[in-house]
CSV table of all heavy atoms in Angstrom, one decimal:
chain,number,residue,atom,x,y,z
A,870,ALA,N,43.5,-6.3,161.0
A,870,ALA,CA,42.5,-5.7,161.8
A,870,ALA,C,42.5,-4.1,161.6
A,870,ALA,O,41.5,-3.5,161.4
A,870,ALA,CB,42.6,-6.0,163.2
A,871,GLN,N,43.7,-3.6,161.7
A,871,GLN,CA,43.8,-2.1,161.7
A,871,GLN,C,43.4,-1.5,160.3
A,871,GLN,O,43.1,-0.4,160.2
A,871,GLN,CB,45.2,-1.6,162.1
A,871,GLN,CG,46.3,-2.0,161.2
A,871,GLN,CD,46.6,-1.0,160.1
A,871,GLN,OE1,46.4,0.2,160.3
A,871,GLN,NE2,47.1,-1.5,159.0
A,872,SER,N,43.5,-2.4,159.2
A,872,SER,CA,43.2,-1.8,157.9
A,872,SER,C,41.6,-1.8,157.7
A,872,SER,O,41.1,-1.1,156.9
A,872,SER,CB,43.8,-2.6,156.8
A,872,SER,OG,43.3,-3.9,156.7
A,873,VAL,N,40.9,-2.6,158.5
A,873,VAL,CA,39.5,-2.7,158.4
A,873,VAL,C,38.8,-1.5,159.2
A,873,VAL,O,37.9,-0.9,158.8
A,873,VAL,CB,38.9,-4.0,158.9
A,873,VAL,CG1,37.4,-4.0,159.1
A,873,VAL,CG2,39.2,-5.1,157.9
A,874,VAL,N,39.4,-1.2,160.4
A,874,VAL,CA,38.8,-0.2,161.3
A,874,VAL,C,38.8,1.2,160.6
A,874,VAL,O,39.8,1.5,159.9
A,874,VAL,CB,39.4,-0.1,162.7
A,874,VAL,CG1,39.3,-1.4,163.4
A,874,VAL,CG2,40.9,0.4,162.6
A,875,GLU,N,37.8,2.0,160.8
A,875,GLU,CA,37.8,3.3,160.3
A,875,GLU,C,38.6,4.3,161.1
A,875,GLU,O,38.4,4.3,162.3
A,875,GLU,CB,36.3,3.8,160.2
A,875,GLU,CG,35.5,3.2,159.1
A,875,GLU,CD,36.0,3.6,157.7
A,875,GLU,OE1,36.7,4.6,157.6
A,875,GLU,OE2,35.7,2.9,156.7
A,876,ARG,N,39.5,5.0,160.5
A,876,ARG,CA,40.3,5.9,161.3
A,876,ARG,C,39.5,7.1,161.9
A,876,ARG,O,39.7,7.4,163.0
A,876,ARG,CB,41.3,6.6,160.3
A,876,ARG,CG,42.4,5.7,159.8
A,876,ARG,CD,43.4,5.3,160.9
A,876,ARG,NE,44.6,4.6,160.3
A,876,ARG,CZ,44.7,3.4,160.0
A,876,ARG,NH1,43.6,2.6,160.1
A,876,ARG,NH2,45.8,2.9,159.5
A,877,ARG,N,38.5,7.6,161.1
A,877,ARG,CA,37.7,8.7,161.6
A,877,ARG,C,36.3,8.1,161.9
A,877,ARG,O,35.5,7.9,161.0
A,877,ARG,CB,37.6,9.8,160.6
A,877,ARG,CG,39.0,10.4,160.3
A,877,ARG,CD,38.9,11.5,159.3
A,877,ARG,NE,38.3,11.1,158.0
A,877,ARG,CZ,39.1,10.4,157.1
A,877,ARG,NH1,40.3,10.2,157.3
A,877,ARG,NH2,38.5,10.0,156.0
A,878,ASN,N,36.0,7.9,163.1
A,878,ASN,CA,34.6,7.4,163.4
A,878,ASN,C,34.2,8.0,164.8
A,878,ASN,O,35.0,8.4,165.6
A,878,ASN,CB,34.5,5.9,163.4
A,878,ASN,CG,35.3,5.3,164.5
A,878,ASN,OD1,35.1,5.5,165.7
A,878,ASN,ND2,36.2,4.4,164.1
A,879,THR,N,32.8,8.1,164.9
A,879,THR,CA,32.3,8.7,166.1
A,879,THR,C,32.0,7.7,167.2
A,879,THR,O,31.6,8.1,168.3
A,879,THR,CB,31.0,9.5,165.7
A,879,THR,OG1,30.1,8.6,165.0
A,879,THR,CG2,31.2,10.7,164.8
A,880,ILE,N,32.2,6.4,166.9
A,880,ILE,CA,31.9,5.4,167.9
A,880,ILE,C,33.3,4.8,168.3
A,880,ILE,O,33.9,4.1,167.5
A,880,ILE,CB,31.0,4.3,167.3
A,880,ILE,CG1,29.8,4.9,166.6
A,880,ILE,CG2,30.7,3.2,168.4
A,880,ILE,CD1,29.0,3.9,165.8
A,881,PRO,N,33.8,5.2,169.5
A,881,PRO,CA,35.1,4.8,169.9
A,881,PRO,C,35.4,3.3,169.8
A,881,PRO,O,36.5,2.9,169.4
A,881,PRO,CB,35.2,5.2,171.4
A,881,PRO,CG,34.2,6.3,171.5
A,881,PRO,CD,33.1,6.0,170.5
A,882,ILE,N,34.5,2.4,170.1
A,882,ILE,CA,34.7,1.0,170.1
A,882,ILE,C,35.1,0.5,168.7
A,882,ILE,O,35.8,-0.5,168.5
A,882,ILE,CB,33.5,0.2,170.6
A,882,ILE,CG1,33.8,-1.2,171.0
A,882,ILE,CG2,32.3,0.2,169.7
A,882,ILE,CD1,34.5,-1.4,172.3
A,883,LEU,N,34.6,1.2,167.6
A,883,LEU,CA,34.9,0.8,166.3
A,883,LEU,C,36.4,0.9,165.9
A,883,LEU,O,36.9,0.4,164.9
A,883,LEU,CB,34.0,1.5,165.2
A,883,LEU,CG,32.6,1.1,165.2
A,883,LEU,CD1,31.8,1.9,164.2
A,883,LEU,CD2,32.4,-0.4,165.1
A,884,ALA,N,37.1,1.7,166.7
A,884,ALA,CA,38.6,1.9,166.5
A,884,ALA,C,39.4,0.7,167.1
A,884,ALA,O,40.6,0.6,167.0
A,884,ALA,CB,39.1,3.2,167.0
A,885,ASN,N,38.6,-0.1,167.8
A,885,ASN,CA,39.3,-1.2,168.6
A,885,ASN,C,39.2,-2.6,167.9
A,885,ASN,O,38.4,-2.8,167.0
A,885,ASN,CB,38.7,-1.3,170.0
A,885,ASN,CG,39.1,-0.3,170.9
A,885,ASN,OD1,39.7,0.8,170.5
A,885,ASN,ND2,38.9,-0.4,172.2
A,886,VAL,N,40.2,-3.4,168.3
A,886,VAL,CA,40.2,-4.8,167.8
A,886,VAL,C,39.7,-5.7,169.1
A,886,VAL,O,40.2,-5.4,170.2
A,886,VAL,CB,41.5,-5.3,167.3
A,886,VAL,CG1,42.7,-5.0,168.3
A,886,VAL,CG2,41.5,-6.7,166.9
A,887,LEU,N,38.9,-6.6,168.8
A,887,LEU,CA,38.4,-7.5,169.9
A,887,LEU,C,39.3,-8.7,169.9
A,887,LEU,O,39.5,-9.5,169.0
A,887,LEU,CB,37.0,-8.0,169.6
A,887,LEU,CG,36.4,-9.1,170.5
A,887,LEU,CD1,36.4,-8.7,172.0
A,887,LEU,CD2,35.0,-9.5,170.1
A,888,ILE,N,40.0,-8.9,171.1
A,888,ILE,CA,41.0,-10.0,171.2
A,888,ILE,C,40.3,-11.1,172.1
A,888,ILE,O,39.8,-10.7,173.2
A,888,ILE,CB,42.3,-9.6,171.9
A,888,ILE,CG1,42.9,-8.4,171.1
A,888,ILE,CG2,43.3,-10.7,172.0
A,888,ILE,CD1,44.1,-7.8,171.8
A,889,GLU,N,40.1,-12.3,171.6
A,889,GLU,CA,39.5,-13.4,172.4
A,889,GLU,C,40.5,-14.5,172.4
A,889,GLU,O,41.0,-15.0,171.4
A,889,GLU,CB,38.2,-13.8,171.7
A,889,GLU,CG,37.2,-12.7,171.6
A,889,GLU,CD,36.0,-13.1,170.8
A,889,GLU,OE1,36.1,-13.2,169.6
A,889,GLU,OE2,34.9,-13.4,171.4
A,890,ALA,N,40.8,-15.0,173.7
A,890,ALA,CA,41.8,-16.1,173.9
A,890,ALA,C,41.1,-17.2,174.5
A,890,ALA,O,40.5,-17.1,175.6
A,890,ALA,CB,43.0,-15.6,174.7
A,891,GLU,N,41.3,-18.4,173.9
A,891,GLU,CA,40.7,-19.6,174.5
A,891,GLU,C,41.5,-20.8,173.9
A,891,GLU,O,41.8,-20.8,172.7
A,891,GLU,CB,39.2,-19.7,174.1
A,891,GLU,CG,38.5,-20.7,175.1
A,891,GLU,CD,37.0,-20.7,174.8
A,891,GLU,OE1,36.5,-19.7,174.1
A,891,GLU,OE2,36.3,-21.6,175.2
A,892,GLY,N,41.7,-21.9,174.8
A,892,GLY,CA,42.3,-23.1,174.3
A,892,GLY,C,43.8,-22.8,173.9
A,892,GLY,O,44.6,-22.3,174.7
A,893,ASP,N,44.1,-23.0,172.6
A,893,ASP,CA,45.4,-22.7,172.1
A,893,ASP,C,45.3,-21.7,170.9
A,893,ASP,O,46.2,-21.7,170.1
A,893,ASP,CB,46.2,-24.0,171.7
A,893,ASP,CG,45.4,-24.8,170.6
A,893,ASP,OD1,44.3,-24.3,170.2
A,893,ASP,OD2,45.9,-25.8,170.2
A,894,THR,N,44.3,-20.9,170.9
A,894,THR,CA,44.0,-20.0,169.8
A,894,THR,C,43.7,-18.6,170.4
A,894,THR,O,42.9,-18.4,171.4
A,894,THR,CB,42.9,-20.5,168.9
A,894,THR,OG1,43.2,-21.8,168.5
A,894,THR,CG2,42.7,-19.6,167.7
A,895,ALA,N,44.2,-17.6,169.7
A,895,ALA,CA,43.7,-16.2,169.9
A,895,ALA,C,43.1,-15.7,168.7
A,895,ALA,O,43.6,-15.9,167.6
A,895,ALA,CB,44.9,-15.3,170.3
A,896,SER,N,41.9,-15.1,168.8
A,896,SER,CA,41.3,-14.5,167.6
A,896,SER,C,41.2,-13.0,167.7
A,896,SER,O,41.0,-12.4,168.8
A,896,SER,CB,39.9,-15.1,167.4
A,896,SER,OG,39.0,-14.6,168.3
A,897,PHE,N,41.4,-12.3,166.6
A,897,PHE,CA,41.4,-10.9,166.5
A,897,PHE,C,40.3,-10.4,165.6
A,897,PHE,O,40.3,-10.8,164.4
A,897,PHE,CB,42.8,-10.4,166.0
A,897,PHE,CG,43.9,-10.6,167.0
A,897,PHE,CD1,44.4,-11.9,167.1
A,897,PHE,CD2,44.4,-9.6,167.8
A,897,PHE,CE1,45.4,-12.2,168.0
A,897,PHE,CE2,45.4,-9.9,168.7
A,897,PHE,CZ,45.9,-11.2,168.8
A,898,ARG,N,39.3,-9.7,166.1
A,898,ARG,CA,38.1,-9.3,165.3
A,898,ARG,C,38.0,-7.8,165.2
A,898,ARG,O,38.2,-7.1,166.2
A,898,ARG,CB,36.9,-9.9,166.0
A,898,ARG,CG,35.6,-9.7,165.3
A,898,ARG,CD,34.4,-10.2,166.1
A,898,ARG,NE,34.5,-11.5,166.5
A,898,ARG,CZ,33.8,-12.6,165.9
A,898,ARG,NH1,33.1,-12.3,164.9
A,898,ARG,NH2,34.0,-13.8,166.4
A,899,ALA,N,37.8,-7.3,163.9
A,899,ALA,CA,37.7,-5.9,163.7
A,899,ALA,C,36.5,-5.7,162.8
A,899,ALA,O,36.2,-6.5,161.9
A,899,ALA,CB,39.0,-5.3,163.1
A,900,THR,N,35.9,-4.5,162.9
A,900,THR,CA,34.7,-4.2,162.1
A,900,THR,C,34.5,-2.7,161.9
A,900,THR,O,35.0,-1.9,162.7
A,900,THR,CB,33.4,-4.8,162.7
A,900,THR,OG1,32.3,-4.6,161.7
A,900,THR,CG2,33.0,-4.1,164.0
A,901,ASP,N,33.9,-2.3,160.7
A,901,ASP,CA,33.5,-0.9,160.5
A,901,ASP,C,32.0,-0.9,160.4
A,901,ASP,O,31.4,0.1,159.8
A,901,ASP,CB,34.2,-0.3,159.3
A,901,ASP,CG,33.9,-1.0,158.0
A,901,ASP,OD1,33.1,-1.9,158.0
A,901,ASP,OD2,34.4,-0.5,157.0
A,902,LEU,N,31.3,-2.0,160.8
A,902,LEU,CA,29.9,-2.2,160.7
A,902,LEU,C,29.5,-2.7,159.3
A,902,LEU,O,28.3,-3.2,159.1
A,902,LEU,CB,29.0,-1.0,161.1
A,902,LEU,CG,29.2,-0.6,162.6
A,902,LEU,CD1,28.3,0.6,162.9
A,902,LEU,CD2,28.9,-1.7,163.5
A,903,ASP,N,30.3,-2.5,158.3
A,903,ASP,CA,30.0,-3.0,156.9
A,903,ASP,C,30.9,-4.3,156.6
A,903,ASP,O,30.4,-5.2,155.9
A,903,ASP,CB,30.3,-2.0,155.8
A,903,ASP,CG,29.3,-0.9,155.9
A,903,ASP,OD1,28.1,-1.2,156.2
A,903,ASP,OD2,29.7,0.3,155.7
A,904,ILE,N,32.1,-4.3,157.1
A,904,ILE,CA,33.0,-5.4,157.0
A,904,ILE,C,33.4,-5.9,158.3
A,904,ILE,O,33.6,-5.1,159.3
A,904,ILE,CB,34.3,-5.0,156.2
A,904,ILE,CG1,34.0,-4.4,154.9
A,904,ILE,CG2,35.2,-6.2,156.0
A,904,ILE,CD1,35.2,-3.8,154.2
A,905,GLU,N,33.5,-7.2,158.5
A,905,GLU,CA,34.1,-7.8,159.7
A,905,GLU,C,35.1,-8.8,159.3
A,905,GLU,O,34.9,-9.7,158.5
A,905,GLU,CB,33.0,-8.5,160.5
A,905,GLU,CG,33.5,-9.1,161.8
A,905,GLU,CD,32.4,-10.0,162.5
A,905,GLU,OE1,32.2,-11.1,162.1
A,905,GLU,OE2,31.8,-9.5,163.5
A,906,VAL,N,36.3,-8.7,160.0
A,906,VAL,CA,37.4,-9.7,159.7
A,906,VAL,C,37.7,-10.3,161.0
A,906,VAL,O,37.9,-9.7,162.0
A,906,VAL,CB,38.6,-9.0,159.0
A,906,VAL,CG1,39.3,-8.0,159.9
A,906,VAL,CG2,39.5,-10.1,158.5
A,907,VAL,N,37.9,-11.7,161.0
A,907,VAL,CA,38.3,-12.4,162.2
A,907,VAL,C,39.6,-13.2,161.8
A,907,VAL,O,39.5,-14.0,160.8
A,907,VAL,CB,37.2,-13.4,162.7
A,907,VAL,CG1,37.7,-14.1,164.0
A,907,VAL,CG2,35.9,-12.7,162.9
A,908,ASP,N,40.6,-13.0,162.5
A,908,ASP,CA,41.9,-13.7,162.2
A,908,ASP,C,42.2,-14.6,163.4
A,908,ASP,O,42.4,-14.1,164.6
A,908,ASP,CB,43.0,-12.7,162.0
A,908,ASP,CG,44.1,-13.2,161.1
A,908,ASP,OD1,44.4,-14.5,161.2
A,908,ASP,OD2,44.8,-12.5,160.4
A,909,ARG,N,42.4,-15.9,163.2
A,909,ARG,CA,42.7,-16.8,164.3
A,909,ARG,C,44.1,-17.3,164.2
A,909,ARG,O,44.6,-17.7,163.1
A,909,ARG,CB,41.8,-18.0,164.3
A,909,ARG,CG,40.3,-17.7,164.6
A,909,ARG,CD,39.4,-18.9,164.2
A,909,ARG,NE,39.2,-18.9,162.8
A,909,ARG,CZ,38.4,-18.2,162.0
A,909,ARG,NH1,37.6,-17.3,162.6
A,909,ARG,NH2,38.3,-18.3,160.7
A,910,ILE,N,44.9,-17.1,165.3
A,910,ILE,CA,46.3,-17.6,165.3
A,910,ILE,C,46.6,-18.4,166.5
A,910,ILE,O,46.0,-18.2,167.5
A,910,ILE,CB,47.3,-16.3,165.2
A,910,ILE,CG1,47.0,-15.3,166.3
A,910,ILE,CG2,47.2,-15.7,163.8
A,910,ILE,CD1,48.0,-14.2,166.3
A,911,PRO,N,47.6,-19.3,166.4
A,911,PRO,CA,48.0,-20.1,167.5
A,911,PRO,C,48.6,-19.3,168.6
A,911,PRO,O,49.4,-18.3,168.3
A,911,PRO,CB,49.1,-21.1,166.9
A,911,PRO,CG,49.0,-20.9,165.5
A,911,PRO,CD,48.4,-19.6,165.2
A,912,ALA,N,48.3,-19.6,169.8
A,912,ALA,CA,48.8,-18.8,171.0
A,912,ALA,C,49.0,-19.7,172.2
A,912,ALA,O,48.3,-20.7,172.3
A,912,ALA,CB,47.9,-17.6,171.3
A,913,LYS,N,49.8,-19.3,173.1
A,913,LYS,CA,49.9,-20.0,174.4
A,913,LYS,C,49.0,-19.3,175.3
A,913,LYS,O,49.4,-18.1,175.8
A,913,LYS,CB,51.4,-20.1,174.9
A,913,LYS,CG,51.6,-20.8,176.2
A,913,LYS,CD,53.0,-20.9,176.5
A,913,LYS,CE,53.2,-21.6,177.9
A,913,LYS,NZ,52.8,-20.8,179.0
A,914,VAL,N,47.9,-19.8,175.6
A,914,VAL,CA,46.9,-19.1,176.5
A,914,VAL,C,47.0,-19.6,177.9
A,914,VAL,O,46.7,-20.8,178.2
A,914,VAL,CB,45.5,-19.3,175.9
A,914,VAL,CG1,44.5,-18.6,176.8
A,914,VAL,CG2,45.3,-18.8,174.5
A,915,ASP,N,47.5,-18.7,178.8
A,915,ASP,CA,47.6,-19.1,180.2
A,915,ASP,C,46.3,-18.8,180.9
A,915,ASP,O,45.9,-19.5,181.9
A,915,ASP,CB,48.7,-18.3,180.9
A,915,ASP,CG,50.1,-18.6,180.3
A,915,ASP,OD1,50.3,-19.8,180.0
A,915,ASP,OD2,50.9,-17.7,180.1
């Protein structure tokens, strides 16, 4: 995720990773508006 985000950008949200937790999976989504990567990993979601 951090290698996709742009270090220097004028839109603060683009420096962030979106974490979504549901069921037994957590997904991490990052974008610079040209590339989007989503990584899904097993997690214990309370």
Side-chain angles (χ1 to χ4, degrees):
Q871 66 88 32
S872 67
V873 168
V874 300
E875 284 293 340
R876 293 288 194 278
R877 299 179 299 279
N878 64 59
T879 52
I880 310 167
I882 194 82
L883 290 182
N885 282 16
V886 56
L887 170 61
I888 307 171
E889 297 172 290
E891 199 175 342
D893 57 1
T894 305
S896 70
F897 294 77
R898 186 186 299 262
T900 185
D901 64 359
L902 298 181
D903 290 323
I904 303 173
E905 179 188 81
V906 66
V907 184
D908 205 330
R909 292 166 287 278
I910 54 176
K913 182 177 178 289
V914 179
D915 297 321

